[in-house]
Amino acid sequence: MPSPIPSTSIPAKEEWGGNVCVLTYDALDVDAITRSVGDDRAGATVTFIGTTRNSFRGKVVTRLEYQAYSKLAIRSMVEIVRNVTISDSAPSLISCAVHHRLGTVPVGEASIVIAVSSPHRKEAFVACEQILEEVKQGTQIWKREYYDGEDEERAEWKTNYS
């Protein structure tokens, strides 16, 4: 049984200048997220989809659960995207979208989708990876892994970068 929704782990969304960051309990629509960064100026659109896998360190994973301090997490995500879009390594990005799921995410479903458009592929790849790594390390989002055959009370909360 999933944990009750904490009052700080609420849906959130920030949009600016063709960019968007979202925290949601809804399933992530990869095609819609990818389309949201589409632009006729883009020669490249890079999409990263992080999914719940069925195993971790020899254990069978049944699901993940994500919680966030949403007010701070959405601000962190926005700051990360803003910093990447103005960096020297990605000077001509057109649009970025970062969507992170909250709540229970079953095996095979997306927990994070990042889409980046740019005139050139290298900048889009670099930006997408940089956003992913910084979101995993610098946002107030935690995950709990549930394993087959283990008491659910023993499921551990982990930082999002483990």
Side-chain angles (χ1 to χ4, degrees):
M1 181 82 165
S3 299
I5 296 171
S7 61
T8 59
S9 193
I10 58 173
K13 182 177 185 178
E14 286 284 333
E15 291 183 85
W16 73 101
N19 302 302
V20 65
C21 293
V22 176
L23 294 169
T24 182
Y25 282 90
D26 297 330
L28 301 180
D29 183 339
V30 176
D31 291 336
I33 295 166
T34 302
R35 281 192 310 275
S36 77
V37 300
D39 190 286
D40 288 343
R41 298 171 293 163
T45 301
V46 172
T47 304
F48 172 81
I49 307 162
T51 57
T52 300
R53 62 181 176 263
N54 67 357
S55 64
F56 183 74
R57 295 190 178 158
K59 295 182 179 182
V60 175
V61 174
T62 59
R63 68 184 185 279
L64 297 179
E65 181 181 331
Y66 288 92
Q67 288 186 10
Y69 179 35
S70 297
K71 197 173 200 176
L72 192 52
I74 200 76
R75 274 192 267 157
S76 297
M77 290 167 65
V78 167
E79 184 177 336
I80 288 164
V81 171
R82 281 192 170 130
N83 288 340
V84 169
T85 59
I86 63 169
S87 74
D88 291 337
S89 62
S92 62
L93 294 181
I94 296 169
S95 187
C96 299
V98 181
H99 292 241
H100 201 297
R101 185 111 171 247
L102 300 172
T104 301
V105 182
V107 170
E109 291 191 18
S111 56
I112 186 169
V113 176
I114 301 169
V116 177
S117 62
S118 173
H120 306 287
R121 69 180 177 272
K122 183 175 182 178
E123 292 158 345
F125 274 112
V126 168
C128 191
E129 183 174 26
Q130 186 177 351
I131 291 167
L132 172 64
E133 295 305 325
E134 291 186 24
V135 165
K136 287 178 63 92
Q137 292 179 17
T139 58
Q140 297 68 26
I141 300 171
W142 301 272
K143 69 179 174 183
R144 190 173 188 188
E145 291 183 347
Y146 290 87
Y147 303 109
D148 188 41
E150 288 191 10
D151 182 1
E152 291 197 2
E153 295 301 315
R154 294 184 62 205
E156 295 179 37
W157 284 104
K158 300 178 180 185
T159 54
N160 200 19
Y161 56 84
S162 62

